[in-house]
Amino acid sequence: MQPLTGKSIILGVTGGIAAYKAAALTSKLTQLGAQVHVILTENAQQFVQPLTFQALSHLPVHVDTFGEPNPGAIAHIDLADRADLVVIAPATANLLGKMAHGIADDMLTTTLLATKAPILIAPAMNVNMYDHPAVKANMRRLAEMGCRFVEPGEGLLACGWIGKGRMAEPEEIAEAVVHFFQEGRHPAAGEQRPPAAEAGLAGGGSTGDLRGLKVLVTAGPTRERIDPVRYISNHSSGKMGYAIAEAARDRGGEVVLISGPVALPRPDGVTFVAVESAQEMYDAVMAHLPESDVIVKAAAVSDYRPVNVHAHKLKKQADRVTLELEKAPDILQAVGERKQPGQFVVGFAAETENLDGYATGKLKRKNADLIVGNNVLAEGAGMGTDTNLVTFFTADGQALEQPLMSKRQVADKLFDLVLQQLAVRRERR
Ligand code: PMT
């Protein structure tokens, strides 16, 4: 079975030169098993023809709110109701502005207002338009409403400028769509849809309950160099930390994501800091710590690093070699030591045995307010998986065991608990 079999996807195409790439995206999503219902705006038709999309999707293409082909249904409501996901690619500055302000004056924008399906946006425009404060504000507003973004790339733009604004490649957008459906259980059209919070869907609607809070998240592994071609690292994919950053962003938080080297796309709408080693992660965390309200340390940081980093590639000589290691900085420990009264610190404990004992030990030793314990040997849990099996250990002695959930659902449960704990803290004052 293809990864998108049974999924009903609306692909909104707006009027930018990147509209030609939407044809390749239609083909890819169709090949992956999705039913792709294309809506072209009037401006998009200046660049591409409906017939191209009809031939690729094998479905009628919609261009006009009033061109009702089926007397038994109102097309934009019917499409909106049946969609599992809406993708807008390319999304022009004009479309972002209309969406952010609830304007519905054509087939695409009326469908966008009518749908309860999650929305994934791939913007494309001139670099100066992309950097314009009005466009940035519209994107922030849409992110707060729960829309997700596939960021544009940088390079030579059709207008001749060099910079950010080139629509993500169709492969990247198709990958984001597959990833979206793999993240949690997203039912096919016709099945009952769970409430957004339960599904952990960004697009299901944002609660905005983290608005006003600055959230610092670390994610991914660190790499400790041995020589220019070798390093010590671990299998962390960054999925857990990125899900936390995205959940915080979608709930209205101001997010700084400090990430070790991972293969995930950078989430839009967060301040992103790329680091490699434990030392670099330590420096970045310390730089952002003073202004942070909630600190979540999901990264899998190396405990040890080589004492000597060789300037040249080590040559194969002796049958055995000994690598001398020293302790890397313990970032969570340092955060716990510097914690200010208003700050809330969440650590993770990746264990293979005695989860309760080690997790509660870390909670006390590192002066954290909450530890998310995961048994990384359990099926569906730990590194690289899309799901996790965690227990939340709180400073007031609770051990809250959770069922197997998508990492995004874990992230949302985590913030529910953080907010609850902060409310209790406020009441006690
Ligand atoms: O990235 P994924 O593939 O999605 O996998 C997610 C995960 C399994 C990596 C994540 O859920 C997780 O458990 N992260 C913490 C992994 C870890 O390093 O655990 P630990 O028990 O070794 O460390 C305890 C805590 O101290 C962690 O919050 C860690 O970030 C922190 N730490 C550890 C060592 C160090 N030198 N500095 C630290 O800050």
Side-chain angles (χ1 to χ4, degrees), residues 220 235-240 297-303 328-332 347-351 362 366 374 376 382-385 388 407:
H235 292 298
S236 169
S237 63
K239 286 178 183 173
M240 189 66 250
K297 291 281 297 86
V301 187
S302 272
D303 288 325
D330 189 324
I331 308 168
L332 183 57
F348 270 69
E351 307 296 348
K362 277 176 189 163
K366 303 200 183 196
N374 37 197
V376 290
M383 296 182 182
T385 51
N388 209 353
K407 284 185 172 166

Side-chain angles (χ1 to χ4, degrees), residues 189-271:
E191 283 183 64
Q192 203 187 359
R193 195 181 296 280
E198 202 182 300
L201 277 186
S206 152
T207 55
D209 52 7
L210 292 178
R211 203 159 293 142
L213 289 180
K214 294 189 171 149
V215 183
L216 176 61
V217 182
T218 68
T222 62
R223 285 181 186 169
E224 310 303 328
R225 283 184 187 228
I226 299 169
D227 67 17
V229 297
R230 302 181 180 96
Y231 54 80
I232 298 172
S233 191
N234 58 67
H235 292 298
S236 169
S237 63
K239 286 178 183 173
M240 189 66 250
Y242 277 50
I244 291 167
E246 286 169 1
R249 174 201 66 193
D250 294 342
R251 294 169 74 146
E254 203 178 306
V255 180
V256 175
L257 172 60
I258 299 172
S259 173
V262 298
L264 300 175
R266 289 180 181 193
D268 216 338
V270 308
T271 301

Side-chain angles (χ1 to χ4, degrees), residues 211-429:
R211 203 159 293 142
L213 289 180
K214 294 189 171 149
V215 183
L216 176 61
V217 182
T218 68
T222 62
R223 285 181 186 169
E224 310 303 328
R225 283 184 187 228
I226 299 169
D227 67 17
V229 297
R230 302 181 180 96
Y231 54 80
I232 298 172
S233 191
N234 58 67
H235 292 298
S236 169
S237 63
K239 286 178 183 173
M240 189 66 250
Y242 277 50
I244 291 167
E246 286 169 1
R249 174 201 66 193
D250 294 342
R251 294 169 74 146
E254 203 178 306
V255 180
V256 175
L257 172 60
I258 299 172
S259 173
V262 298
L264 300 175
R266 289 180 181 193
D268 216 338
V270 308
T271 301
F272 186 86
V273 186
V275 297
E276 190 174 293
S277 63
Q279 186 63 52
E280 285 176 17
M281 189 172 277
Y282 176 92
D283 293 342
V285 168
M286 289 308 145
H288 289 276
L289 184 61
E291 76 260 18
S292 302
D293 300 302
V294 179
I295 301 100
V296 187
K297 291 281 297 86
V301 187
S302 272
D303 288 325
Y304 290 93
R305 64 186 175 193
V307 173
N308 298 311
V309 180
H310 296 267
H312 296 286
K313 186 181 167 195
L314 285 174
K315 288 300 183 200
K316 186 163 58 180
Q317 281 164 345
D319 284 347
R320 286 179 178 217
V321 288
T322 304
L323 204 56
E324 196 183 350
L325 302 178
E326 63 182 4
K327 271 194 175 156
D330 189 324
I331 308 168
L332 183 57
Q333 183 86 39
V335 168
E337 283 162 10
R338 288 162 180 71
K339 191 169 68 175
Q340 297 298 309
Q343 292 180 318
F344 194 94
V345 176
V346 180
F348 270 69
E351 307 296 348
T352 55
E353 54 177 352
N354 187 19
L355 183 63
D356 291 27
Y358 288 138
T360 49
K362 277 176 189 163
L363 183 74
K364 292 198 180 79
R365 222 173 35 254
K366 303 200 183 196
N367 192 26
D369 298 294
L370 202 158
I371 288 279
V372 184
N374 37 197
N375 179 349
V376 290
L377 289 186
E379 176 96 29
M383 296 182 182
T385 51
D386 291 319
T387 52
N388 209 353
L389 188 61
V390 305
T391 303
F392 297 123
F393 297 92
T394 63
D396 56 11
Q398 302 179 73
L400 304 165
E401 249 179 74
Q402 304 297 310
L404 187 70
M405 290 185 276
S406 73
K407 284 185 172 166
R408 175 57 196 253
Q409 286 174 295
V410 171
D412 275 312
K413 287 271 181 203
L414 171 62
F415 285 118
D416 290 347
L417 186 56
V418 168
L419 287 168
Q420 214 180 76
Q421 295 267 310
L422 283 172
V424 171
R425 198 190 263 184
R426 273 196 303 275
E427 271 167 28
R428 287 203 183 125
R429 267 202 220 121

Side-chain angles (χ1 to χ4, degrees), residues 43-57:
N43 289 338
Q45 292 170 69
Q46 300 290 331
F47 295 92
V48 285
Q49 294 297 313
L51 189 60
T52 310
F53 294 89
Q54 184 176 305
L56 293 167
S57 66

